[in-house]
Amino acid sequence: MEAIGTGAAANVSSETAKGIFHQFEQKHRTLIAKRTSVQQDVDVAERNGEKIKADVLDWRHRLDEVITEKEKKVKELEVKATTKCFFGLCPNIKSRYQLSRKAEKDAATFDELIKECQFERVGYPDVAEPIIHTDFEAFKSREEVFNDIMESLKDATTSMIGVYGMAGVGKTWLVKEVERQLHEVEVKLFDSVVRATVSQIPDIKEIQDQIAYSLGLKFEENSPDVRARKLYGRLRKEKNVLIILDDLWKKLDLEEVGIPFGSQHKGCKILLTSRNQNVLSNGMDATMTFAIVDLDDEEAWEFFKKMARDSFESDEC
């Protein structure tokens, strides 16, 4: 075995060793340049409020470990070279062989890291948890509807839920409270909860924008159809998602917006509000609908006192 090792070492000439070391240095410089380039992209992404992707963070971590380790070897090789023990002027052929093998192996490691550095983009939008102010009053009549909605959302057989009532009875107020509590619970019922206001004259692009913003999705296209396909694909990536569509006046074409539903995405639930139960039951085929009625006399009196108290305290300030 010793003879074989000695023979292999003897075959590493001074010129071969120089070539290996030169290749090592060249790939090391390329890797340093790649790291600088990626860091510049990371800096730009962070200034734009983006989070850095996991594969980029992992690549940088592994790169830093490799660079730290290999830079020590660069110094070691340079010392050997300058002391004439690397390029053939030292009689220790075995030492020259070992150093050449190390340089060759490290150059291959550099090569792998360079090939991995093919990031289309380094960051993604950081979507902050929404700050939802509801001033929700747990009147008995509202609390019952709220609890019914929460139970329906847990029911796997219920995919679309509707809330209806006259203007001003608190439909939006109620679904905002649903959204707030779903964001705050420790055991998440949905991976994402998004909300959009539809209004009397629906603006499809505006609805798409509201949903996309909550998902961290950016549209570069103007065509509603193209945007719908992009939104559809993004929503399909969510295992469980709740989409709240507030203030429907007539049937809304979910496909036109880009919302997968039913067999298209069984993990997608939709919560609707409207003044008209017919819009929910017949227009949208809601599985369950809940009515919000006027406050009874006692609740109305309590609500009036609270509003008067808040107004008085506000005037004092």
Side-chain angles (χ1 to χ4, degrees), residues 204 291 313:
I204 297 300
E313 290 173 354

Side-chain angles (χ1 to χ4, degrees), residues 190-204:
F190 298 97
D191 300 317
S192 295
V193 179
V194 300
R195 176 168 49 88
T197 302
V198 178
S199 72
Q200 188 170 3
I201 304 175
D203 182 334
I204 297 300

Side-chain angles (χ1 to χ4, degrees), residues 228-273:
R229 289 195 294 272
K230 189 170 183 178
L231 181 59
Y232 180 95
R234 176 65 182 81
L235 286 168
R236 288 266 298 166
K237 291 180 180 179
E238 298 289 327
K239 184 177 179 181
N240 293 293
V241 58
L242 174 64
I243 302 174
I244 300 172
L245 298 174
D246 189 24
D247 195 22
L248 270 74
W249 288 66
K250 60 183 180 180
K251 179 180 178 179
L252 178 69
D253 188 336
L254 298 178
E255 186 177 343
E256 186 180 4
V257 177
I259 298 174
F261 182 65
S263 60
Q264 298 171 340
H265 187 0
K266 292 184 178 179
C268 179
K269 288 183 182 285
I270 300 176
L271 176 59
L272 311 167
T273 75

Side-chain angles (χ1 to χ4, degrees), residues 63 88 107 188:
L63 174 64
K188 298 291 184 183

